[in-house]
Amino acid sequence: MSRSVRTRPEGSGQALNEAYDTALLDLDGVVYAGGSAIAHAVESLAAARGAGMRLAYVTNNALRTPDVVAAHLTELGIPAEAGDVITSAQAVARLISEQVPQGSRVLVVGGEGLRVALRERGLEPVESADDDPVAIVQGYGGPELPWGRFAEASYAVARGLPWFASNTDLTIPSGRGIAPGNGAAVEVVRIATGAEPQVAGKPLPPMHRESILRTGAGRPLVVGDRLDTDIEGAFNGGVDSLLVLTGVTDGALLLAAPPRHRPTYVDADLRGMLTGQPEVVAAGDGFRCGGWTATAGAAELELDGDGGALDGLRALCAAAWTAAGAEACGLDGGKALARLGW
């Protein structure tokens, strides 16, 4: 994928599961939500896998081990093994192992996922700043992580040790709503020390590199629901992406996306992996997709025609992104989106 300014979603004459050899799938908001499979996910993934596409599940959550994630997916009807799961804990453990000697002690502020990933890289997890660590790693530790863990990290950072973070997502979804994520915990240590960690997770390159190394993907497709992690991660990695509208991103957020947040393809859910993608073409002063034509007026986006809602959204994206260029779109698309049911 070119890293130049994207001005419209792309089309594909082939089904995406045929055009790409590996799907790098986000989990929450894409495959499941609140622990339950999202509509059409189980059958879509089975069809893609049956047609020969490699499926890999890429998550910023460093708490759960790949074994636990794979078991959860299998329970949902999506057969998976630990080797199909890539976590930010694995990405940060590799990052640390490249900067410290084999067998080094690393202070862990987080959960079991981090400890397993460190041991996989030949590093020894320890619990105290007084255990002679050579580095600190911080990852999501769940709602019961004691406050004193942040103090241990702060003591070690203040001694000049290198500090690593699995990811900096400020929030994490839970069954009861939105909770503070690892990024919020990282902020606690940052405020206490004034230091900055090295970060591995999406959207940064170490996570993408980990995914490619573990899957051997030659032509990967990133599939996600978040513009600022999944889609930006694909942009940073120079690969194509599919945004599914089953998670946090809605039409308004997509229209306002700056270039690094603009996906290659857009679809309603994971069924979009099994089909080609309609082309968005220039039409006079605007863009046409399916039965819709969209143009950028002086202050708002205008939509004319009749057809599928997704085709209309794709046409609107082309009009908005072209008008915005390298900036986020400031045009009002409210009336146009309302016609599409958003």
Side-chain angles (χ1 to χ4, degrees):
M1 176 182 106
S2 170
R3 290 168 64 96
S4 60
V5 174
R6 181 179 298 284
T7 57
R8 69 186 84 171
E10 291 185 11
S12 175
Q14 283 183 290
L16 297 186
N17 67 297
E18 297 173 355
Y20 299 89
D21 65 359
T22 304
L24 303 177
L25 295 130
D26 183 47
L27 288 172
D28 210 326
V30 175
V31 177
Y32 54 65
S36 300
I38 286 174
H40 311 295
V42 174
E43 55 268 37
S44 297
L45 293 173
R49 184 175 56 251
M53 190 181 211
R54 169 83 191 267
L55 304 181
Y57 304 95
V58 184
T59 176
N60 259 0
N61 191 327
L63 176 62
R64 299 195 297 171
T65 66
D67 283 318
V68 171
V69 175
H72 180 207
L73 289 169
T74 301
E75 288 173 2
L76 295 177
I78 304 167
E81 299 178 354
D84 300 324
V85 179
I86 299 100
T87 73
S88 63
Q90 294 171 324
V92 77
R94 187 185 298 271
L95 191 62
I96 296 168
S97 72
E98 293 169 343
Q99 298 181 39
V100 304
Q102 185 84 357
S104 293
R105 295 182 172 190
V106 178
L107 172 62
V108 174
V109 179
E112 186 62 15
L114 277 178
R115 294 179 179 86
V116 169
L118 289 171
R119 293 188 187 104
E120 182 185 37
R121 291 281 148 220
L123 302 171
E124 181 183 350
V126 297
E127 303 301 316
S128 171
D130 297 331
D131 288 335
D132 297 322
V134 301
I136 310 102
V137 63
Q138 191 169 357
Y140 183 65
E144 306 305 321
L145 186 70
W147 185 260
R149 304 305 300 149
F150 304 137
E152 290 298 326
S154 299
Y155 300 149
V157 171
R159 295 172 188 174
L161 300 183
W163 175 31
F164 299 83
S166 63
N167 68 295
T168 52
D169 296 0
L170 290 174
T171 61
I172 189 168
S174 76
R176 297 175 61 193
I178 300 300
N182 191 55
V186 167
E187 283 300 308
V188 172
V189 179
R190 193 200 312 266
I191 291 168
T193 64
E196 293 288 335
Q198 296 183 53
V199 183
K202 295 184 285 187
L204 297 174
M207 188 66 168
H208 182 71
R209 180 180 62 147
E210 191 71 20
S211 300
I212 299 302
L213 287 172
R214 288 182 178 269
T215 62
R219 184 161 167 73
L221 177 71
V222 170
V223 184
D225 71 308
R226 296 184 69 104
L227 300 178
D228 59 349
T229 54
D230 306 316
I231 305 308
E232 185 176 344
F235 176 85
N236 289 337
V239 301
D240 289 348
S241 60
L242 167 66
L243 177 77
V244 290
L245 299 172
T246 49
V248 301
T249 300
D250 60 14
L253 286 172
L254 183 58
L255 294 185
R260 68 185 183 279
H261 291 171
R262 296 172 186 172
T264 314
Y265 311 107
V266 182
D267 219 304
D269 51 55
L270 286 178
R271 288 176 295 180
M273 293 172 57
L274 308 176
T275 66
Q277 292 290 312
E279 187 176 3
V280 181
V281 298
D285 294 332
F287 295 90
R288 185 177 69 252
C289 185
W292 297 99
T293 300
T295 57
E300 64 182 15
L301 297 170
E302 300 169 358
L303 187 66
D304 184 53
D306 189 17
L310 273 170
D311 287 341
L313 180 61
R314 294 180 185 107
L316 281 169
C317 287
W321 296 350
T322 298
E327 304 296 331
C329 177
L331 297 175
D332 179 12
K335 291 181 180 178
L337 285 172
R339 287 201 63 188
L340 300 174
W342 265 278

